[in-house]
């Protein structure tokens, strides 16, 4: 999987890196692409178009997203948006999220470029920006909605399955938007994916099944597509 929900954890936790390594990692996840490649699936009732989003990308990339969204909206498509919202100023949940995800959480109103800028001071081969707001991408309350789970729902489900996320003294020595100084063992990739990807993917599928809209855009991070596609195919959808 070339792209992740936010950024690849491997990129953000590199301890010793060069400008070349950072650029290669960003290139690998598609951050320098200037176009988005959409994927269409349908069954006898519903047509779904997946927009594999990158949360840090080029301005031409997001301009291409805007153009394609506008065209599809004119054809009657409705957009599912991805956003794990959290309780404002709930620093405990945000620190638990950092431990669960394995990398810093952007401050409210700030994109993931703020995290990248705080970790690396290298020159990038292309100018990158954070993913614009959904409103700036041309999606309002009449044209789409956030169907994602909240940050606290995700944390609660992880703790229900795997046990409480323990915060230590070191977790409070840095802001949730900064790299932690803790040396404890990270959350296992298997457990993380089961919650961050699979659990949230099932929520998207449940929304599709119960929705009266029959032309749907799924605007989620690219890593979600593999699981969502698998589930849609099992429900009789075919890739077009």
């Amino acid at each position: 999987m070339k792209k992740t929900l936010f950024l690849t954890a491997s990129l953000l936790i590199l301890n010793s890196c060069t400008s070349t390594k950072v650029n290669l990692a960003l290139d690998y996840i598609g951050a320098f692409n200037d176009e988005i490649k959409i994927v269409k699936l349908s069954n006898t009732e519903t047509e779904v178009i997946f927009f594999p989003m990158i949360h840090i990308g080029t301005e031409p990339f997001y301009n291409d997203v805007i153009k394609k969204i506008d065209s599809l909206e004119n054809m009657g498509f409705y957009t599912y948006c991805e956003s794990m919202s959290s309780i404002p100023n709930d620093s405990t949940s945000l620190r638990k999220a950092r431990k669960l995800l394995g990398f810093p959480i952007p401050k409210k109103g700030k994109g993931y470029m703020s995290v990248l800028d705080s970790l690396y001071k290298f020159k990038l081969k292309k100018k990158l920006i954070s993913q614009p707001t959904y409103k700036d991408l041309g999606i309002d309350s009449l044209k789409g909605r956030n169907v994602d789970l909240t940050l606290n729902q995700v944390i609660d489900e992880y703790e229900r399955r795997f046990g409480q996320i323990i915060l230590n003294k070191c977790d409070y020595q840095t802001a949730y938007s900064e790299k932690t100084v803790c040396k404890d063992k990270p959350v296992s990739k298997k457990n993380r994916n089961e919650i961050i990807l699979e659990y949230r993917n099932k929520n998207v599928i449940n929304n599709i099944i119960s929705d009266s809209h029959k032309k749907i855009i799924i605007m989620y991070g690219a890593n979600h597509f593999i699981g969502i596609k698998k589930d849609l195919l099992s429900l009789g959808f075919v890739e077009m």
Side-chain angles (χ1 to χ4, degrees):
M1 295 182 285
K2 287 190 174 183
K3 311 173 188 79
T4 62
L5 173 62
F6 302 110
L7 288 175
T8 54
S10 59
L11 169 63
L12 291 178
I13 62 174
L14 285 171
N15 292 319
S16 176
C17 54
T18 65
S19 176
T20 300
K21 287 182 180 179
V22 173
N23 277 286
L24 284 173
L26 288 167
D27 205 8
Y28 181 75
I29 65 171
F32 296 122
N33 293 347
D34 288 339
E35 293 183 1
I36 187 166
K37 297 186 183 301
I38 61 177
V39 181
K40 301 179 182 180
L41 300 101
S42 69
N43 64 11
T44 55
E45 296 182 354
T46 305
E47 185 175 357
V48 172
I49 298 182
F50 196 92
F51 273 60
M53 294 300 291
I54 307 166
H55 301 300
I56 291 177
T58 67
E59 188 171 350
F61 176 87
Y62 295 119
N63 287 338
D64 187 50
V65 170
I66 292 170
K67 181 177 68 175
K68 288 183 166 100
I69 286 288
D70 181 64
S71 176
L72 290 168
E73 284 178 342
N74 289 333
M75 296 167 61
F77 276 84
Y78 185 83
T79 301
Y80 282 4
C81 302
E82 171 194 14
S83 179
M84 279 196 299
S85 57
S86 62
I87 298 174
N89 301 318
D90 182 0
S91 63
T92 297
S93 290
L94 290 167
R95 284 182 169 85
K96 283 188 175 184
R98 177 178 62 178
K99 184 159 283 190
L100 174 57
L101 293 168
F103 51 83
I105 309 300
K107 294 180 180 178
K108 189 175 182 179
K110 301 289 185 181
Y112 276 87
M113 275 304 298
S114 64
V115 176
L116 190 65
D117 288 340
S118 71
L119 294 173
Y120 305 113
K121 307 299 180 183
F122 304 128
K123 183 177 180 179
L124 302 175
K125 76 174 189 177
K126 283 187 180 181
K127 181 181 178 181
L128 300 178
I129 61 174
S130 295
Q131 178 179 323
T133 65
Y134 290 114
K135 181 179 179 180
D136 288 339
L137 291 173
I139 304 165
D140 59 28
S141 59
L142 297 177
K143 300 173 183 177
R145 70 178 187 271
N146 176 23
V147 299
D148 208 345
L149 298 169
T150 68
L151 183 61
N152 285 337
Q153 284 176 312
V154 169
I155 292 171
D156 288 346
E157 182 64 15
Y158 177 89
E159 293 185 328
R160 185 186 72 80
R161 297 190 196 184
F162 306 113
Q164 186 177 2
I165 299 173
I166 304 297
L167 294 179
N168 303 311
K169 183 178 179 180
C170 60
D171 288 298
Y172 291 95
Q173 292 177 353
T174 53
Y176 63 82
S177 58
E178 300 174 359
K179 185 177 178 181
T180 180
V181 296
C182 295
K183 304 299 182 184
D184 49 349
K185 186 177 180 180
V187 170
S188 76
K189 183 178 179 181
K190 179 180 180 298
N191 291 353
R192 178 186 293 123
N193 286 345
E194 189 171 323
I195 301 301
I196 298 302
L197 290 177
E198 296 171 18
Y199 180 53
R200 291 166 65 211
N201 289 349
K202 293 293 184 184
N203 184 63
V204 174
I205 296 298
N206 290 337
N207 273 274
I208 293 173
I209 292 172
S210 62
D211 206 326
S212 60
H213 295 96
K214 298 306 176 185
K215 292 185 175 182
I216 298 171
I217 296 167
I218 302 176
M219 185 174 283
Y220 264 58
N223 252 10
H224 288 274
F225 177 61
I226 292 175
I228 290 174
K229 177 182 176 181
K230 180 180 178 181
D231 287 342
L232 288 175
L233 293 175
S234 73
L235 293 172
F237 281 74
V238 295
E239 187 170 351
M240 301 172 67

